[in-house]
Amino acid sequence: MEDFLRKNEFIADSALPVTVVRRAPQPDYPLHSHEFSELVIVYSGKGIHFTEQYEQELESGDVFVIHGKMRHGYRGCGSLELVNIMFDPESIGTPLGDICNQPSFRALFELGPVFGRKSGQHGGFRLNREQLDQVMVLVDTVEEEIREKKTGYRMMTIALFMQLASWLSRYYEKTPPKASVQVRDLGKVINFIEKNYSRQIQLKELVKLSNMSDSSLTRAFLRYTGKTPIDYIIALRVQRASTLLLKYPARSIAEIGYE
Ligand code: RM4
Ligand code: NI
């Protein structure tokens, strides 16, 4: 079986970068990767989700995000039922507004997927019954929009996807799994760095913000980003500087470097 799934086979409408598929049941499925991301919501049964680094037993209410490059699969899935929301983060094209720098959004959509790879967990969290029921009503609505194609359905689908992402971030905030309290706190620190990278940042400011000791913070950074906090800040500055240089070729390197 081809194990790299292409965008155009699954997200058929290029003007609508979100597709919802129910897997009821989700059959066992070998390791594969995709050109898109998947937001997975388990609503019934049990099964095992695995990657090359970990495997984890899934239960009803589990929510997690798989980014394209991360190879994953399912096994032992007799009764597992889930919704797989395939989306292309690059072509969603709608500003995520204030949600994208909320620690819980970051934890679920950005750090979680990476965290899972390194820690033996999927990096998501588990909804309680009531939250799951609410989320599934929203999922039904998205499916209906996509099916019925009424006026503005693309806009509606994306709007509902945003709503779903926001709800999930709120629920995550209320019930962060133990392991991901750290991911959430790390999210806070990364937001802070992104806002303040152009000035001097002291490690102790970050430590204070993170609720961790400085060695745990450094370890967490290494684990999730592959860099120490200081290296992370330096890399971010270099990256921002090169973006500026490309954008404003007339400005001098010294000027941008200083900035
Ligand atoms: C599978 C499973 C995978 C997904 C493919 C398209 O049944 O849900 O994660 O990538 O479908
Ligand atoms: Ni997949």
Side-chain angles (χ1 to χ4, degrees):
M1 189 195 295
E2 167 67 274
D3 67 357
F4 180 66
L5 311 182
R6 306 215 167 259
K7 203 150 63 182
N8 55 12
E9 289 165 43
F10 289 89
I11 306 187
D13 178 351
S14 63
L16 182 60
V18 179
T19 302
V20 181
V21 280
R22 286 204 188 219
R23 301 283 187 229
Q26 167 67 55
D28 286 2
Y29 202 92
L31 269 182
H32 64 281
S33 55
H34 357 76
E35 236 180 330
F36 47 87
S37 297
E38 295 180 331
L39 166 62
V40 180
I41 303 168
V42 178
Y43 61 89
S44 169
K46 278 192 167 59
I48 293 168
H49 175 246
F50 65 97
T51 67
E52 281 157 317
Q53 287 82 11
Y54 71 84
E55 57 173 65
Q56 196 172 18
E57 174 112 27
L58 295 177
E59 263 180 51
S60 158
D62 276 342
V63 176
F64 58 97
V65 174
I66 293 290
H67 286 313
K69 283 189 212 119
M70 181 170 165
R71 284 156 63 75
H72 76 139
Y74 296 93
R75 64 184 163 71
C77 280
S79 61
L80 188 69
E81 300 193 356
L82 54 82
V83 207
N84 185 352
I85 304 179
M86 300 169 187
F87 64 101
D88 175 16
E90 268 150 42
S91 38
I92 283 205
T94 307
L96 285 162
D98 65 340
I99 189 74
C100 67
N101 48 28
Q102 292 304 312
S104 50
F105 177 85
R106 249 183 217 287
L108 183 59
F109 284 86
E110 292 171 14
L111 296 168
V114 178
F115 165 71
R117 205 159 59 213
K118 299 183 180 166
S119 72
Q121 285 170 327
H122 58 49
F125 72 114
R126 187 168 293 161
L127 297 167
N128 66 30
R129 189 71 244 175
E130 192 190 330
Q131 293 166 338
L132 178 62
D133 289 344
Q134 281 171 337
V135 163
M136 291 309 288
V137 172
L138 191 54
V139 168
D140 287 338
T141 319
V142 185
E143 287 179 313
E144 196 182 303
E145 283 295 334
I146 297 178
R147 191 175 53 239
E148 297 194 352
K149 303 193 169 33
K150 290 186 185 148
T151 306
Y153 74 96
R154 292 191 177 96
M155 168 77 162
M156 277 293 280
T157 302
I158 292 174
L160 292 166
F161 177 77
M162 300 292 156
Q163 183 175 345
L164 184 61
S166 311
W167 276 10
L168 291 174
S169 304
R170 287 179 187 175
Y171 294 150
Y172 185 103
E173 206 166 67
K174 276 196 205 146
T175 36
K178 212 167 138 252
S180 66
V181 169
Q182 207 184 43
V183 181
R184 188 200 52 195
D185 290 341
L186 197 67
K188 268 196 248 164
V189 174
I190 291 179
N191 281 334
F192 178 84
I193 294 177
E194 292 202 342
K195 277 194 209 125
N196 296 290
Y197 68 90
S198 55
R199 69 160 174 84
Q200 279 277 8
I201 298 177
Q202 305 290 337
L203 186 61
K204 57 175 192 288
E205 292 177 83
L206 304 182
V207 169
K208 195 161 163 226
L209 205 69
S210 71
N211 305 315
M212 291 179 234
S213 69
D214 55 6
S215 57
S216 314
L217 177 66
T218 302
R219 240 179 297 123
F221 249 88
L222 279 170
R223 195 198 279 156
Y224 305 125
T225 69
K227 296 190 173 68
T228 64
I230 301 302
D231 288 344
Y232 185 88
I233 297 173
I234 295 173
L236 183 71
R237 287 180 181 151
V238 170
Q239 184 211 324
R240 293 292 150 92
S242 54
T243 316
L244 284 177
L245 279 171
L246 285 174
K247 215 165 147 194
Y248 305 105
R251 292 176 60 184
S252 77
I253 296 186
E255 191 192 339
I256 285 181
Y258 180 74
E259 195 174 304

